[in-house]
Amino acid sequence: MAKFTRFNASELDARARYEILQTRPEEYPRRACTDLLTMVNQLDRFNNIVTGPLAVALNTRLRSVHQCTMEFYSTFNFTSRCDPFDNEGVAFRCGGTRYSISMAQFGAIIGLYGEEESGNEENTGGLRDLDENERQAAWAQIGEGIYNPSSTKSTKLRDPLYRYIHRLLTYSLNQRHDSSGVVGLKDLVVLHCIHNQKPLDVPYLLLRNMHLNRLASAPTPIFFGGWVYRLFKHFTNIPRSFERSPWSGRVDYHICRAMNLLYEAEDGTVSFQRTQGYAWNPQEALVLHAPPPHYQYQPHGDPGQSSSQGGGFPNFQSLHDLLQENLMCTRNTYNLANNTYHRVGAIERNINDIQDDIGSIREYMAGHGDGGDDSGEDMDV
């Protein structure tokens, strides 16, 4: 039994890590609560947008064994830039024996997907991160204001179900002890994939979070012990004398009520609320998640060509609406044809630059008599 936490003379680094880990408490995860989601009539929506390995990560009931968690974190090494099928990517010791496996194998062993599915892009080739430009564009789709990874609150998310999923992430895949109300970068990546139905590299995110948690110091708790227990059960027999933790709890009614996420009507029905005192209509999700219009803006095209044919200039109201909707993304240029934000060369254009373009367009169109009469239109932004 002592082989799980006994280190020989060649494992001095592991022994030193073990001494540090002993000063940190272990904190257990929480999973989705089907009763709560059924109560607020959001279970079907949740199941439709949270799929694949992410659904497993957020719904699995977990328990842990402290000795296994301590041995794993004392010896764990993760090469984050390795290929998903590199058999040296994930290294650890289990029951006194050292193992090296790939990220794809790790995901299959802990049950995120079947072994035969480890080569699917949805499972091991999904999104891992967003660059600086993509973050603002991703946030503009789902939230309000300018995105700041260290301070943007989940209350700025437009969809209450996304607020629930965000809180669920802070108890599971992106588990942390504090700042649970802040939408961090890892949270934004997950929400972006959910919103756009893109594949997410769940094994990578989980291993990356384990790596960062291992490097933390007291009083930061130790997380993800439930996944370690699943991993160890694959490689060794765990003594029955080792005490198992309680099963993981749920992000339930009480947590959501403390978040001020629930509206309770006089007739006893419960629903999500986005504004204090007003029940949220699930039909709003159809509007919130509708794809934005694709404006055709080609400033270097033929000014005489109709915008309806994909060239020339759009009408003023389209540009005005666009600026109003995306005013928070002042450091990026908006690609109207593709509905994305991007950099132009080495220079970042801001809203003032775009407004100057509009002034030039108005002058040109007014001079050519091509729909330039904007009397009655308020273009102040």
Side-chain angles (χ1 to χ4, degrees):
M1 295 182 186
K3 65 181 181 180
F4 285 85
T5 54
R6 183 175 58 211
F7 305 98
N8 57 41
S10 65
E11 299 176 309
L12 296 179
D13 287 345
R15 184 183 300 173
R17 290 181 194 170
Y18 177 77
E19 295 298 328
I20 295 174
L21 288 167
Q22 282 188 310
T23 66
R24 297 168 57 189
E26 186 171 356
E27 192 166 296
Y28 309 123
R30 289 181 181 270
R31 56 194 174 97
C33 180
T34 55
D35 290 343
L36 181 279
L37 291 169
T38 301
M39 180 188 301
V40 297
N41 195 30
Q42 291 292 289
L43 182 60
D44 288 341
R45 274 195 69 214
F46 179 86
N47 290 333
N48 287 334
I49 63 177
V50 179
T51 59
L54 179 60
V56 178
L58 301 187
N59 286 298
T60 300
R61 190 173 71 149
L62 299 170
R63 66 192 315 185
S64 61
V65 170
H66 185 69
Q67 292 89 336
C68 299
T69 304
M70 295 291 283
E71 182 182 21
F72 175 81
Y73 275 114
S74 297
T75 59
F76 171 55
N77 284 291
F78 172 52
T79 306
S80 61
R81 296 186 181 275
C82 70
D83 183 89
F85 302 98
D86 182 354
N87 290 329
E88 303 296 323
V90 183
F92 57 94
R93 204 189 76 173
C94 172
T97 303
R98 290 193 169 274
Y99 296 92
S100 293
I101 59 175
S102 68
M103 280 192 283
Q105 289 174 315
F106 172 82
I109 290 171
I110 65 174
L112 294 177
Y113 43 76
E115 185 175 355
E116 68 283 357
E117 300 174 320
S118 60
N120 294 354
E121 181 180 354
E122 179 183 357
N123 298 328
T124 55
L127 188 67
R128 296 182 177 183
D129 199 2
L130 295 167
D131 65 30
E132 185 177 351
N133 285 342
E134 293 170 332
R135 293 166 190 169
Q136 293 298 338
W139 178 254
Q141 288 184 313
I142 61 176
E144 299 172 342
I146 300 173
Y147 176 70
N148 185 323
S150 62
S151 61
T152 296
K153 300 291 187 181
S154 64
T155 51
K156 297 296 183 180
L157 290 166
R158 299 190 189 100
D159 190 332
L161 181 59
Y162 283 16
R163 278 194 67 197
Y164 178 83
I165 294 172
H166 171 263
R167 182 54 59 93
L168 179 57
L169 288 171
T170 68
Y171 279 111
S172 53
L173 181 61
N174 295 337
Q175 191 174 0
R176 52 186 180 267
H177 184 64
D178 52 10
S179 301
S180 59
V182 174
V183 182
L185 289 177
K186 293 174 288 187
D187 305 327
L188 181 61
V189 170
V190 178
L191 292 173
H192 174 69
C193 289
I194 289 174
H195 186 79
N196 295 280
Q197 291 298 287
K198 291 184 176 180
L200 176 71
D201 196 337
V202 176
Y204 169 84
L205 289 179
L206 182 55
L207 285 165
R208 179 65 176 168
N209 288 335
M210 285 178 161
H211 172 71
L212 295 175
N213 186 236
R214 177 184 69 84
L215 298 177
S217 57
T220 303
I222 301 170
F223 303 129
F224 312 113
W227 298 113
V228 173
Y229 181 46
R230 284 189 156 217
L231 183 69
F232 272 44
K233 286 197 298 182
H234 177 82
F235 288 102
T236 189
N237 292 320
I238 300 173
R240 292 186 177 182
S241 59
F242 285 179
E243 183 178 358
R244 273 65 172 170
S245 74
W247 290 105
S248 52
R250 295 178 175 86
V251 180
D252 58 11
Y253 168 86
H254 301 286
I255 292 176
C256 291
R257 190 176 185 187
M259 292 169 59
N260 202 24
L261 186 58
L262 300 179
Y263 174 82
E264 302 181 51
E266 294 181 357
D267 61 2
T269 58
V270 180
S271 60
F272 280 145
Q273 66 176 9
R274 185 171 175 230
T275 304
Q276 176 66 33
Y278 294 92
W280 183 71
N281 183 355
Q283 293 298 317
E284 292 182 35
L286 300 177
V287 178
L288 292 173
H289 299 167
H294 289 267
Y295 300 94
Q296 297 297 326
Y297 179 34
Q298 298 178 356
H300 300 294
D302 179 7
Q305 184 179 2
S306 171
S307 62
S308 63
Q309 296 174 346
F313 299 108
N315 61 60
F316 296 141
Q317 188 60 42
S318 295
L319 286 170
H320 179 267
D321 293 344
L322 175 70
L323 289 172
Q324 291 284 9
E325 293 171 5
N326 300 284
L327 195 60
M328 72 289 294
C329 300
T330 59
R331 297 298 295 164
N332 301 309
T333 296
Y334 195 82
N335 183 322
L336 298 105
N338 297 327
N339 192 42
T340 58
Y341 296 89
H342 65 107
R343 294 175 185 268
V344 178
I347 303 174
E348 294 180 345
R349 298 177 60 203
N350 57 29
I351 288 295
N352 291 330
D353 296 327
I354 300 176
Q355 289 176 313
D356 290 341
D357 285 353
I358 293 177
S360 300
I361 294 169
R362 294 177 65 184
E363 291 175 5
Y364 180 92
M365 296 181 71
H368 286 71
D370 186 17
D373 182 9
D374 60 335
S375 59
E377 289 287 339
D378 182 10
M379 291 299 295
D380 292 333
V381 180

